[in-house]
Structure formats: structure tokens, C-alpha cells
């Protein structure tokens, strides 16, 4: 574990205390506003550094970037330049923002480069080619196993031998702030003979963290656990909206389908692997021993604090869960190694979500189905409100941040309001 103290970095930009977007973070995103067309920026404090203007003004001259690389409506082309280049872009911006560096601070274009974040509309940061969802929290898998199968053998026999996953739907991944209509579908209660059709009565969220791939492989090739992180560009918060009643009826034998693919929400700022470097921690010990292709140094977990809030319409958000990403049994290197071990190729901009992140405490579960134990107990929201599942008008908000020695690197948030089901 790297445990050297972090270098103290100060910036001339006014960054509010406890901002997720410190000088140490500098996540990439795609934004526009009333005057500006979609473009790539880096967040710091309450500002966005407009990389396209920096480029036009020659601040990246030594990097020989393709023309207009930041005037895009997704990060894909920039990410495809490779980690060496994207690291240099981020490091150059960090240098320009350092206290004592006058290059940008005293430049006539400073006003154009520094955009007010509040006035910007954030767009989906990547064009997502393929989306995979894992199932890597042993607490979450155990809770669901206890609820629906055998409390004595909650984990299925394969679970500790491979990172279970399924192929999700990329078309319905939306950026934070996009409302989600309650899905309609089939469900069947155990005591009724035939299924019913209607709006889901058990709409849920799943607290997840997803990584975005930054390098492609060829069909037939595999990525080892040793090389896996070279293929990871960065991370976002991920809400894998789930309709539990639709899911329970449809999932046999091929797994999740319409109970999942009606929408997933992600946070707009992509936090790079480099920014998370100081927050590496050891993950849980894996027992039994995994097969050789899944073996790795236990250094691929990250100490990221996660929080979930429900905000009923016209009320204050209430915190309902606090978890940590480092509790995940399977790490990102193992997920990617497993995903490609059969020769499945990956592309720049693929999204791989962790699976629901639950801790062992009852207030650290990452979904309503666990927090309300499948609707058998009420989750209190304060102001007299309580829930078993998500109701129309509710906004679900997830936040995430890493913090150590006074250094904070955060994700901001992913939020989404649930609207009533659309009529057929
Ligand atoms: Mn999920």
C-alpha cells in the first residue's frame, strides 16, 4: 500500500472547503451552456476549466493534440489518445492551476477558460458502447440469497470463484438529473395463478460505482489482472435502477432484462484512476483461493465513502444509507480479467458497474430491497415520511468521496427523479 504523505498542493482558484473538486481531483466531463456548444472540461471548485479554450490559446502546444479534440460531445476521442496523453493533459491543467503559476492566472483568456459550473449543463460524459453489471458485494449477494433462496446457503456455489456479471443495456444510461419514468411490465405474486401487467410496484435503486474503459482489445485477447488498470480510464457513480417485481418474475433462466434496462443514471464527472491513487486500500481476503487468472496483488480496492439520499417531492433529502466501495469482494482488476478471459473484446467507453455496494450494517445496504427487507420494514425518511420502495416524485441522490489527510477527491452526485409511468 502506498502510504507516503500527499504533497501539499495549493491553487489560485477559490475552492470551497469540502469541495469534491479539489486540485487533487480534476475530473473530466462534457458540458455546454447558453453560449457554449458541447465541449470537454475539468472541474475545480465551483468552476469548469474549458479545455477547448486552453487548447486554442496554446496551453497544450507541447502535447501535439489532434485539432479540436476538446470540442466534442463525449470524452471518447480524448480517452482514445491513451493514458500517457490524458495523464499529461490533466497534469498540465493541475500545473496551470497551482498557486504561484501565473501562466493562466494572469492570462487575458482566463475569464473565458474558467466557466461557472452552476451555469453549465452537464452531458453524458462518454458514448457508452457496451455496459456490463457485476454482482461483486458479498453482503448484497448474501442478503438477496437469504431473502429469496436459502438463508443457510445464501451465496450460490459459483459466487466465490468468479465475479458474477451480466450484459446490460447501454442505450438507457443517462446523466445525473435526467428523470426516469416508472417502468411498466409483468409481475406475479406467489399467491396468484397468473401474472399481472402494470407500473412496477417495487421500484428500487442500486448504489454502484462504475469504471470506464480507456483502451480497446482485439477479439480473442484477454487482459490480465496485472495489466487491467492500464485499461481503466476512470470512475463514476452509478445508479442501476431496478424494478424488483418485474425482475423476480422474468429473470429465470437468463437473468436480468426489463427489470433493469429501463434506465441507469451516472454522475457527470469522470474521476480518473490517477486521482484515486492515494486512496488505494486492501480489499477483503478471498477464501477459497481463486483460479490463477483471477489472482492479483490485493491493491485494487479504493476507499470511497458512499451515501444514498431519498428526497420526496418538495421535501429535504434524507440520508438512508452509508457504505464504502472498498468492501467489494471482487476488485476491478479481477472483473476486467474475468470479462476478457474468454476473448471477449472491449472498446474505449465501455462501462462496467460494480454491482450493488452493501456493507454489513443495516444502514449500509445499497438498495431498498435490502433496507426494507423486501418491503417487510419501513425505511424512515424524517418529516414523517417512510418508504419500502421508491414512490413517484421521489429523487434518489447518491454521493461519493474519498478523503485522507485533509485531501478530498469526490464524485459530486448522481441524482434522478422518478416520474409516474407513461400510459401505454
Ligand atoms: Mn446492478
Amino acid at each position: 500500500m502506498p502510504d507516503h504523505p500527499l504533497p501539499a498542493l495549493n491553487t489560485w482558484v477559490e475552492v470551497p472547503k469540502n469541495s469534491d473538486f479539489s486540485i487533487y481531483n480534476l475530473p473530466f466531463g462534457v458540458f455546454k451552456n447558453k453560449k457554449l456548444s458541447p465541449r470537454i472540461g475539468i472541474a475545480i471548485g465551483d468552476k469548469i476549466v474549458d479545455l477547448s479554450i486552453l487548447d486554442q490559446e496554446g496551453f497544450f502546444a507541447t502535447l501535439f493534440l489532434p485539432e479540436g479534440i476538446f470540442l466534442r460531445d463525449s470524452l471518447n476521442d480524448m480517452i482514445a489518445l491513451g493514458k500517457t496523453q490524458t495523464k499529461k493533459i490533466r497534469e498540465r491543467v493541475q500545473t496551470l492551476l497551482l498557486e504561484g503559476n501565473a501562466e493562466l492566472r494572469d492570462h487575458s483568456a482566463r475569464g473565458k477558460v474558467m466557466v461557472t459550473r452552476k451555469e453549465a449543463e452537464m452531458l453524458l460524459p462518454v458514448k457508452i458502447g457496451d455496459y456490463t453489471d457485476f454482482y461483486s458485494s458479498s453482503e448484497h449477494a448474501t442478503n438477496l440469497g437469504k431473502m429469496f433462496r436459502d438463508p443457510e446457503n445464501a451465496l450460490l456455489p459459483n459466487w466465490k470463484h468468479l465475479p458474477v456479471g451480466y450484459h446490460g443495456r447501454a442505450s438507457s444510461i443517462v446523466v445525473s438529473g435526467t428523470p426516469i419514468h416508472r417502468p411498466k411490465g409483468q409481475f406475479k405474486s406467489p399467491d396468484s395463478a397468473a401474472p399481472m401487467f402494470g407500473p412496477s410496484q417495487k421500484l428500487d435503486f442500486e448504489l454502484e460505482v462504475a469504471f470506464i474503459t480507456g483502451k480497446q482489445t482485439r477479439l480473442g485477447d484477454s487482459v490480465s489482472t496485472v495489466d487491467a488498470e492500464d485499461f481503466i480510464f476512470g470512475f463514476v457513480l452509478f445508479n442501476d435502477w431496478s424494478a424488483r417485481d418485474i425482475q423476480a418474475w422474468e429473470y429465470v433462466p437468463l437473468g436480468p432484462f426489463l427489470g433493469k434496462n429501463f434506465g441507469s443514471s451516472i454522475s457527470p464527472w469522470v474521476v480518473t484512476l490517477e486521482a484515486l491513487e492515494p486512496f488505494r486500500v486492501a480489499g477483503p481476503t478471498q477464501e477459497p483461493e481463486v483460479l490463477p487468472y483471477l489472482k492479483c496483488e490485493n491493491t485494487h480496492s479504493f476507499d470511497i465513502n458512499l451515501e444514498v439520499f431519498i428526497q420526496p417531492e418538495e421535501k429535504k433529502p434524507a440520508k438512508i444509507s452509508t457504505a464504502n466501495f472498498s468492501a467489494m469482494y471482487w476488485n476491478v482488476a479481477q472483473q476486467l480479467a474475468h470479462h476478457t478471459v474468454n476473448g471477449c473484446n472491449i472498446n474505449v467507453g465501455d462501462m462496467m458497474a460494480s454491482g450493488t455496494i452493501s456493507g454489513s450494517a443495516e444502514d449500509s445496504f445499497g438498495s431498498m430491497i435490502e433496507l426494507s427487507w423486501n418491503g417487510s420494514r419501513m425505511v424512515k425518511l424524517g418529516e414523517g415520511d417512510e418508504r419500502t420502495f421508491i414512490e413517484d416524485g421521489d429523487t434518489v441522490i447518491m454521493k461519493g468521496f474519498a478523503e485522507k489527510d485533509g485531501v478530498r477527491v469526490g464524485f459530486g452526485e448522481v441524482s434522478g427523479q422518478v416520474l409516474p409511468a407513461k400510459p401505454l
Side-chain angles (χ1 to χ4, degrees), residues 25 28 45-46 177 244 246 321 349-350 400:
N25 189 355
F28 289 91
D46 297 332
R244 300 302 179 188
I246 297 172
S321 183
D350 286 351

Side-chain angles (χ1 to χ4, degrees), residues 207-268:
L207 169 65
E208 307 195 18
V209 169
F211 67 83
I212 293 163
T213 53
K215 198 162 128 181
Q216 65 172 14
T217 60
R218 281 176 312 181
L219 188 63
D221 286 353
S222 304
V223 178
S224 70
T225 56
V226 175
D227 296 335
E229 287 193 359
D230 287 344
F231 289 80
I232 297 176
F233 174 73
F235 294 82
V236 292
L237 301 174
F238 193 99
N239 178 357
D240 182 21
W241 297 98
S242 300
R244 300 302 179 188
D245 40 6
I246 297 172
Q247 184 183 355
W249 170 232
E250 75 176 356
Y251 87 105
V252 186
L254 289 186
F257 190 37
L258 305 185
K260 296 279 189 178
N261 70 5
F262 59 93
S264 311
S265 306
I266 64 168
S267 53

Side-chain angles (χ1 to χ4, degrees), residues 119-141:
E119 292 164 9
E121 180 190 339
M122 297 308 299
L123 307 178
L124 195 69
V126 276
K127 281 213 166 48
I128 302 156
D130 278 303
Y131 153 51
T132 299
D133 195 24
F134 287 96
Y135 191 58
S136 291
S137 155
S138 75
E139 288 80 2
H140 173 70

Side-chain angles (χ1 to χ4, degrees), residues 151-220:
E152 299 304 310
N153 297 290
L155 289 180
L156 285 166
N158 63 359
W159 199 88
K160 288 199 164 178
H161 295 281
L162 55 87
V164 170
Y166 70 94
H167 285 300
R169 179 95 191 150
S171 68
S172 54
I173 299 178
V174 294
V175 73
S176 178
T178 311
I180 298 285
H181 281 276
R182 178 176 297 272
K184 304 171 289 292
Q186 284 194 25
F187 38 88
K188 186 181 114 35
S189 57
D191 45 3
S192 64
M196 294 169 41
F197 175 83
S200 167
Q201 292 165 15
K202 287 188 173 180
L203 182 56
D204 202 350
F205 60 80
E206 289 190 336
L207 169 65
E208 307 195 18
V209 169
F211 67 83
I212 293 163
T213 53
K215 198 162 128 181
Q216 65 172 14
T217 60
R218 281 176 312 181
L219 188 63

